Amino acid sequence: MAEQIIHTGEHINLVISDGEALDTVFVQEPDSTLRIHLFRIARDGQALNLRNTLHVRQTGTGCRTEIYALFLLRGNDKAALHTRMCHEKGQGTSAQTVKFILADHAQGEFFGEMTIAQDAQKVEAEQTNRNLLLSDTALMRTRPQLEIYADDVKASHGASTGQLDESSLFYMQQRCISREEGRKLLLRAFTADVVDTVEDDNKRQELMDAIDRVI
Amino acid sequence: MHPQNTTEPYHAALFAMNTLLEIKNLHASIGGKEILKGVNLTIHAGEVHAIMGPNGAGKSTLSAVLTGHPAYTVTEGEVWLKGKNLLEMPAEQRAREGVFLSFQYPVEIPGVSMVNFMRTAVNEKRAYEGKSALSATEFLRLMREKKALVEMADKLNNRSVNEGFSGGEKKKNEIFQMAMLEPCLSILDETDSGLDIDALRIVSNGVNKLKTKDNASIVITHYQRLLDYIVPDFVHVLADGQIVKTGSKELALELEEKGYEWLNK
């Protein structure tokens, strides 16, 4: 397992969109900020099979962690994300937004572990996992797991898995938009709040193009 | 031929007779339960038809069937739009042919901006008509022009479709979309529900301004109030899946006074 240290007061912004499975521990020192943008987008002629583990330790006070992840899988793609968010010290914040879109026989898995240690007071931590299944044969497993030992914290999590909204598709049909085109609009909208967090304009455009090729 | 393009009264008279929509003996059901039990209705260009009736009479079913809602099955009958078989068309094709449904409960679409949504809609219709897509400038000019019609705020452009809109804003947005798409047949499904008097006035004004001698509207409503603003040429009473009475706008007042019960006697 690789280890990366984010030094006191440092601000690190990572965009990971290709390459091998991730297995990294990020160690945050006081008042550091870590933003991770993780994209796993299906490619032609090559099924994905990736397990990704992101272990973040806030070892100092006043740290900020943001994790944005988007998985767009189809065919026989399989991908898993395991986040392990450890608030070891107080006054820190963390926010995780994890989204999967699964078509065909794709399988996705999200395991969101979060621990807030006993002396990590005044922590604010949230985790959101939203998934879209585009076929009857796609499969999503999701498991949020929160362990909170401190008493003065705000922690929340939410997970939902569903299909494209039929009433939205019908509404769009009434406005001349075919189901196919409507589906694309809804999928782009679903990915937007993750893609929009990428600050680099070129990189964001590249990701939007890659998503458009798949949907 | 448009009547304004000719001075011959014969042509004008012929156009006035022009049938836009013809519903013949329409039967429809949902989940095996028959809701429409033989509806007959003919609508000509330039007309406004009000459809009134008690709850559960089939008013919303009629609009759902005309616009191609997948939950309903047509078991018998025909519907012709300008001589084309409407029931054979997928929902979006009906819209592209000029049928417009103003929803009783407009749908919120988070993440899809009004601009993006409307540009897709307008250009899908234009492509169907063999026209080229509007440029960004042309499109924004059109948006501005049509929004003025319903006094809609500019800030709504970048908001998601209907998301966080008030009841009045949602209904104004429906009429705005109607103005953008210029339908030949508009179906206004309970457009007055949830509107305060100011919003009702603005929405009705918008509808009235969009009226031409080439298009027609079906106004579905529970109450006579809306018909003070959008004055119908005909009022139909739908009860138990059939049109049981047709009259002029005075019929609406009579219904307001006496309710629907007396029609069954």
Side-chain angles (χ1 to χ4, degrees), chain A residues 165 167-168 170-179 181 185-186 189, chain B residues 67-69 92 95-96 100-101 103 109 111 117 121 124 162 174 177:
Chain A
D165 181 39
S167 61
S168 297
F170 182 70
Y171 187 72
M172 291 197 270
Q173 283 180 287
Q174 291 311 317
R175 302 299 177 252
C176 305
I177 302 170
S178 66
R179 288 180 66 86
E181 202 56 40
L185 283 176
L186 293 180
Chain B
T67 53
H69 196 286
E92 67 269 20
R96 292 167 187 175
F100 181 91
L101 172 62
F103 283 64
I109 313 179
F117 172 69
E124 291 262 288
N162 291 322
E174 293 294 283
Q177 293 172 40

Side-chain angles (χ1 to χ4, degrees), chain A residues 4-53:
Chain A
Q4 186 173 343
I5 295 169
I6 296 105
H7 298 285
T8 303
E10 221 179 348
H11 184 126
I12 297 280
N13 199 23
L14 293 173
V15 181
I16 303 155
S17 58
D18 40 34
E20 295 304 300
L22 268 182
D23 191 7
T24 309
V25 191
F26 295 90
V27 180
Q28 288 190 250
E29 293 181 348
D31 302 313
S32 63
T33 301
L34 171 65
R35 296 179 89 198
I36 301 173
H37 311 260
L38 174 65
F39 293 88
R40 296 301 188 196
I41 297 165
R43 277 174 241 159
D44 286 327
Q46 173 192 5
L48 293 178
N49 192 348
L50 291 171
R51 299 194 75 81
N52 303 281
T53 304

